[in-house]
Amino acid sequence: MAYRVAVRALCEFSAKEGDLDLRFTPSPTAQEGIAGHQRVTSRRAAGYEREVALQGSYRSLTVRGRADGYDPERNRLEEIKTYRGDLARQPANHRQLHWAQARVYGWLLCQARQLPGVELALVYFDILTQKETTISEYHDADALREFFETQCKRFLAWAEQELEHRQTRDRLLAALGFPYPSFRQGQRQLAEAVYKSACTATPLLAQAPTGIGKTLGTLFPLLKAMPGQALDKLYFLAAKTSGRALALDALARLESAQVPTLRVLELIAREKSCEHPDKACHGESCPLASGFYDRLPAARLAAVRRGSLCQATLREIALAHQVCPYYLSQEMARWADVIVGDYNYYFDLSALLHGLMQANEWRVGVLVDEAHNLLERARGMYSAELDQRMFSGLAGQAPALLAKALRRVGRCWNEVHREQLHDYAVLPALPAKLLAALQQLVGEATELLGEKPDALGIELREACFSAMRFCRIAELFGDHSLIDCTLLVKGQRRASRLCLRNVVPAPFLEPRIAQACSTVLFSATLTPRHFYQDTLGIPAVHAWLDVEPPFRGEQLTVHLARDVSTRFADRQASLDPIVERMARQYRQRPGNYLAFFSSFDYLQQVADLFCQLHADIPCWLQTRHMDEAARSAFLERFTEDGRGIGFAVLGGAFAEGIDLPGTRLIGAFIATLGLPQVNPVNEQIRARMQKRFGAGYDYAYFFPGMQKVIQAAGRVIRTPEDSGVIHLIDDRFAQARSLRLLPSWWLID
């Protein structure tokens, strides 16, 4: 059995040395890189071959990849690299890596076509000036073969270790047994659907109730399917830290009992893992970047020997070898079997895991936890905002070239909102002149940073990076998004905020879902199905599963307050009946309750009156901007023998993702339909949804609101032994359209 490795991965392993150095950045986006390659190859003569597939072997190693281009007339093989900035400041180890890739491709080409030698060319394409810089060398085939074999020898011991690991892993996974004596009710049904989805390469949308063990019920079958489907990796993507923790716990149980060789990696954000946030990412500034690639092999070996790499373990290994923990985690993503991280690691425009999957041609299974959160999270990934005040006054402190560009940005920006009559307006099209000015600013700032990495102050650097992201998102603008302008300062010196706002992320998510060998999106709330299918880009050919809940109707009493309105105009009148209902329920059955409201203001109004009239009943309140310690303190009040009511905001930190089984929580009051606020932005989203799907109000307001309600209500019954009560406080809950979306097992009075 041969070990397969991509040319780029081979060279990054065998030919990288020296410092970690990010000064020759920011690099072009993937879209800019593709466009740059196309521009270069379009300039070539007839007969020029693009994306030349090549493959070769050395002992048990198979090396494959696609060379950017080959001109048979000139016998010239080209490796094309797009860049920004001053090419002269490119770190030497970057250039060394590029030559290594070109030489490996050179030998594979000579071998495939029986060539005595070939001219190799590094073609550097400046995406701003559209100019090419070419560096070429002629190499005979024998020298290229020797270079290829040297790289392979450096990698071979690692490859043999990886091949042995893969064989052992797959053997153990094929024999993997469920870690408990039996499945929970509904858990087997979910597991069977996930396994079938993996075996048929059919995306699965699975609605499964809280309490059946969805995390283990999805991880176990997909791990079991990995050997038969030749999956290289499993990605478990979560919206919150709690989701990652559950996945790591489930994997630890499987690993310790049955698959001790399973390599599990937890990915966390750069700002949470950086040891020196005050230093730049290059060897002259950060000690963990200095000599990073020289110390990486030992750290990498230590990491694979540890197997499971949670945040703490990875940090321990990194510091023991004096390398950056964040970039060690990026390296270990290449060698882990299961990777647990946030949605953005796969779905974001520049997502690490998606990029590695494509570059290495991995076969990957993807699990998307609490998938109802993906809509809002994905909208954020494909949106960008720019505040004009961020640029105010920067021209006076900027270098001359940038000052000129900043003044041009200001003039073009003022033209955008000069005739705007209202505080908020949707623009009919992208502001072309402003975008051109922003792109010029970004180009000149990038060039300056390439020459002098410390040339820009913090405020100017942040403004330029924000402008860069805005320009990148603008390249992808379409009918799935809108661009709006909000006036922030009126009068003679106007200022505004521009937002490229994604409304429907489906066009971006759909290809990512399709590119994985298996994708399972699961949650307790995926009703109605068509809403999530339309907005998340679920392919037309997919599987749907609605797991029967393990709960009985008599476990939960659901009361509807048909005579109360929580609409904004009726808020004041609603206070007394809400307080009276809450107090009556508490006195009938003292214990721990959660009460959910549409806003902090509404929450405070009800809490003030409740405490005034029922001072003997303990209360504690969620507040704005609670830190982790405050959130923990809030939840710690819910003890098994506790008494009282916690006041919280629907859709906030305590409305989903928390587990309070048994008597830790026996009831909930939900005094809102959860509808998003009616404002100009949401009205524009409604209009776009209406045009696209013909159900604007439902897609923009009603479905998202009811999803929050059901999630919050799901905190009450967590196990088949729990019992509790829910009060849905608003007359609209009694409407047929609302009742249809509530769980079928609820018994509603």
Side-chain angles (χ1 to χ4, degrees):
M1 182 177 179
Y3 184 89
R4 296 174 289 109
V5 64
V7 171
R8 180 170 178 173
L10 170 69
C11 295
E12 286 181 340
F13 185 96
S14 63
K16 268 191 172 182
E17 59 185 37
D19 295 352
L20 175 69
D21 194 340
L22 302 185
R23 285 176 292 186
F24 192 64
T25 54
S27 61
T29 64
Q31 289 76 20
E32 288 172 331
I34 292 170
H37 277 67
Q38 291 173 343
R39 183 64 183 271
V40 171
T41 58
S42 70
R43 296 171 174 176
R44 301 300 184 253
Y48 184 84
E49 300 176 27
R50 299 166 178 81
E51 295 287 317
V52 183
L54 296 168
Q55 179 172 304
S57 298
Y58 178 78
R59 293 171 56 181
S60 61
L61 194 62
T62 297
V63 182
R64 62 185 184 181
R66 291 182 179 274
D68 292 327
Y70 175 61
D71 184 344
E73 183 72 23
R74 301 175 64 181
N75 189 28
R76 179 161 122 169
L77 185 72
E78 295 186 328
E79 179 73 8
I80 302 168
K81 302 293 182 183
T82 55
Y83 74 97
R84 298 171 182 265
D86 180 4
L87 190 60
R89 297 192 63 84
Q90 182 185 57
N93 59 354
H94 288 206
R95 182 75 53 82
Q96 178 180 330
L97 175 62
H98 299 161
W99 273 124
Q101 293 172 353
R103 288 167 184 157
V104 170
Y105 279 125
W107 162 244
L108 297 178
L109 182 74
C110 288
Q111 181 188 46
R113 305 196 182 189
Q114 298 297 300
L115 301 175
V118 65
E119 180 186 357
L120 302 179
L122 297 182
V123 180
Y124 290 102
F125 180 74
D126 187 330
I127 64 166
L128 297 175
T129 65
Q130 303 284 289
K131 293 181 179 178
E132 298 177 30
T133 300
T134 301
I135 308 167
S136 63
E137 299 175 347
Y138 182 84
H139 292 263
D140 62 55
D142 287 340
L144 291 173
R145 177 182 54 77
E146 184 177 344
F147 180 84
F148 171 77
E149 291 180 354
T150 299
Q151 305 312 303
C152 290
K153 287 174 185 175
R154 292 177 182 175
F155 186 71
L156 194 58
W158 184 268
E160 290 172 347
Q161 168 198 275
E162 288 299 293
L163 195 57
E164 182 181 355
H165 165 75
R166 175 66 175 261
Q167 291 170 336
T168 303
R169 183 202 79 177
D170 285 356
R171 186 181 72 253
L172 292 173
L173 287 179
L176 184 66
F178 195 65
Y180 293 100
S182 63
F183 288 88
R184 296 182 188 178
Q185 184 179 336
Q187 195 177 36
R188 177 183 286 277
Q189 184 185 4
L190 174 62
E192 289 175 350
V194 172
Y195 187 82
K196 184 177 180 181
S197 168
C199 293
T200 60
T202 305
L204 171 64
L205 199 59
Q207 179 170 265
T210 297
I212 71 164
K214 291 192 292 293
T215 302
L216 186 59
T218 53
L219 277 168
F220 168 72
L222 196 50
L223 286 169
K224 188 81 174 169
M226 286 182 78
Q229 302 309 309
L231 297 183
D232 298 297
K233 311 282 180 184
L234 191 162
Y235 297 161
F236 187 98
L237 309 175
K240 298 180 180 180
T241 303
S242 57
R244 295 204 311 270
L246 286 171
L248 292 170
D249 288 345
L251 289 163
R253 181 174 295 277
L254 288 166
E255 179 192 7
S256 61
Q258 303 177 66
V259 198
T261 60
L262 194 65
R263 296 177 187 165
V264 177
L265 172 67
E266 179 187 17
L267 289 177
I268 60 171
R270 180 173 170 177
E271 58 269 17
K272 292 184 178 180
S273 58
C274 181
E275 293 291 319
H276 300 287
D278 59 323
K279 294 178 170 55
C281 292
H282 59 80
E284 295 173 16
S285 176
C286 178
L288 300 182
S290 178
F292 175 87
Y293 291 110
D294 300 327
R295 293 192 293 274
L296 178 60
R300 180 171 53 211
L301 183 60
V304 297
R305 286 175 174 170
R306 286 291 285 272
S308 285
L309 298 172
C310 66
Q311 177 182 352
T313 302
L314 194 72
R315 179 176 183 268
E316 174 193 329
I317 294 169
L319 297 185
H321 292 83
Q322 283 297 287
V323 296
C324 171
Y326 176 73
Y327 285 101
L328 177 60
S329 74
Q330 302 246 309
E331 170 66 20
M332 296 316 298
R334 293 165 166 82
W335 314 112
D337 303 309
V338 183
I339 302 168
V340 178
D342 190 89
Y343 293 160
N344 66 285
Y345 282 106
Y346 185 73
F347 290 113
D348 196 71
L349 287 173
S350 54
L352 169 71
L353 295 181
H354 179 258
L356 287 174
M357 180 187 77
Q358 288 197 307
N360 294 283
E361 299 181 4
W362 289 338
R363 292 177 55 79
V364 169
V366 178
L367 296 174
V368 183
D369 182 33
E370 300 293 359
H372 64 273
N373 286 305
L374 184 57
L375 173 58
E376 282 303 316
R377 288 291 305 279
R379 280 173 170 168
M381 292 177 202
Y382 309 122
S383 298
E385 190 174 271
L386 212 54
D387 191 324
Q388 190 175 9
R389 294 172 299 184
M390 177 183 285
F391 297 82
S392 178
L394 292 181
Q397 54 182 280
L401 272 177
L402 283 190
K404 183 178 179 181
L406 283 163
R407 284 191 286 269
R408 184 186 174 208
V409 166
R411 290 193 301 271
C412 295
W413 202 320
N414 289 336
E415 289 182 19
V416 172
H417 59 232
R418 179 171 290 126
E419 305 300 328
Q420 186 168 322
L421 300 176
H422 303 287
D423 290 347
Y424 176 86
V426 173
L427 304 184
L430 293 175
K433 290 176 65 176
L434 174 59
L435 282 172
L438 289 169
Q439 287 166 346
Q440 181 184 6
L441 171 66
V442 167
E444 291 176 356
T446 302
E447 188 172 349
L448 185 59
L449 285 171
E451 296 172 359
K452 300 176 182 178
D454 301 320
L456 305 184
I458 294 176
E459 291 182 351
L460 181 53
R461 183 189 295 260
E462 289 182 353
C464 290
F465 284 171
S466 295
M468 181 181 303
R469 172 171 172 78
F470 194 84
C471 291
R472 287 178 175 180
I473 296 294
E475 294 174 2
L476 306 171
F477 190 74
D479 63 359
H480 46 67
S481 302
L482 60 87
I483 179 168
D484 55 40
C485 179
T486 302
L487 294 180
L488 304 170
V489 181
K490 297 182 181 180
Q492 294 297 315
R493 301 187 64 182
R494 283 188 166 198
S496 63
R497 180 175 58 243
L498 293 174
C499 186
L500 284 161
R501 197 181 304 275
N502 177 254
V503 177
V504 182
F508 300 104
L509 300 178
E510 185 172 6
R512 301 290 173 96
I513 292 171
Q515 286 160 9
C517 293
S518 171
T519 306
V520 178
L521 300 95
F522 59 98
S523 169
T525 49
L526 290 177
T527 300
R529 171 185 175 183
H530 64 82
F531 170 67
Y532 292 98
Q533 182 179 350
D534 290 343
T535 57
L536 299 183
I538 310 299
V541 178
H542 71 278
W544 163 257
L545 175 69
D546 191 359
V547 178
E548 281 293 318
F551 312 123
R552 306 175 309 280
E554 56 266 26
Q555 287 182 254
L556 182 68
T557 304
V558 182
H559 298 291
L560 299 185
R562 293 177 168 86
D563 56 348
V564 179
S565 167
T566 63
R567 298 169 181 84
F568 186 79
D570 301 323
R571 292 277 169 83
Q572 195 62 39
S574 72
L575 300 182
D576 283 322
I578 290 174
V579 167
E580 191 275 332
R581 177 177 286 265
M582 291 171 60
R584 184 172 67 249
Q585 173 62 48
Y586 181 87
R587 297 195 190 284
Q588 286 175 355
R589 186 185 176 189
N592 292 319
Y593 292 84
L594 270 167
F596 294 101
F597 302 89
S598 57
S599 67
F600 284 103
D601 289 340
Y602 195 22
L603 178 157
Q604 193 67 55
Q605 291 176 45
V606 177
D608 287 346
L609 182 60
F610 190 91
C611 292
Q612 177 186 333
L613 298 178
H614 306 282
D616 61 310
I617 300 177
C619 295
W620 53 99
L621 277 60
Q622 179 183 0
T623 58
R624 290 181 172 90
H625 313 303
M626 291 177 85
D627 59 20
E628 190 170 341
R631 291 195 296 270
S632 296
F634 183 96
L635 291 174
E636 285 168 3
R637 297 287 297 269
F638 293 89
T639 60
E640 290 185 359
D641 56 354
R643 299 285 187 274
I645 302 176
F647 287 69
V649 171
L650 192 70
F654 307 113
E656 63 175 278
I658 62 169
D659 194 22
L660 301 171
T663 56
R664 292 184 66 191
L665 183 69
I666 63 170
F669 309 94
I670 304 176
T672 171
L673 230 65
L675 306 181
Q677 182 183 9
V678 177
N679 58 35
V681 172
N682 285 334
E683 282 297 280
Q684 285 297 323
I685 292 175
R686 180 194 59 75
R688 294 299 173 104
M689 293 293 200
Q690 181 66 33
K691 184 176 181 180
R692 198 177 184 102
F693 304 116
Y697 175 79
D698 286 349
Y699 276 54
Y701 292 102
F702 186 60
F703 294 154
M706 289 298 292
Q707 173 261 310
K708 293 177 185 177
V709 169
I710 297 167
Q711 275 289 328
R715 301 312 96 202
V716 177
I717 303 298
R718 308 295 292 178
T719 75
E721 291 74 41
D722 289 355
S723 65
V725 61
I726 294 171
H727 288 262
L728 301 178
I729 308 173
D730 191 284
D731 55 10
R732 290 167 291 180
F733 282 120
Q735 296 174 359
R737 65 201 313 266
S738 300
L739 294 173
R740 280 195 295 269
L741 294 181
L742 298 179
S744 59
W745 67 274
W746 285 10
L747 293 181
I748 300 172
D749 68 2

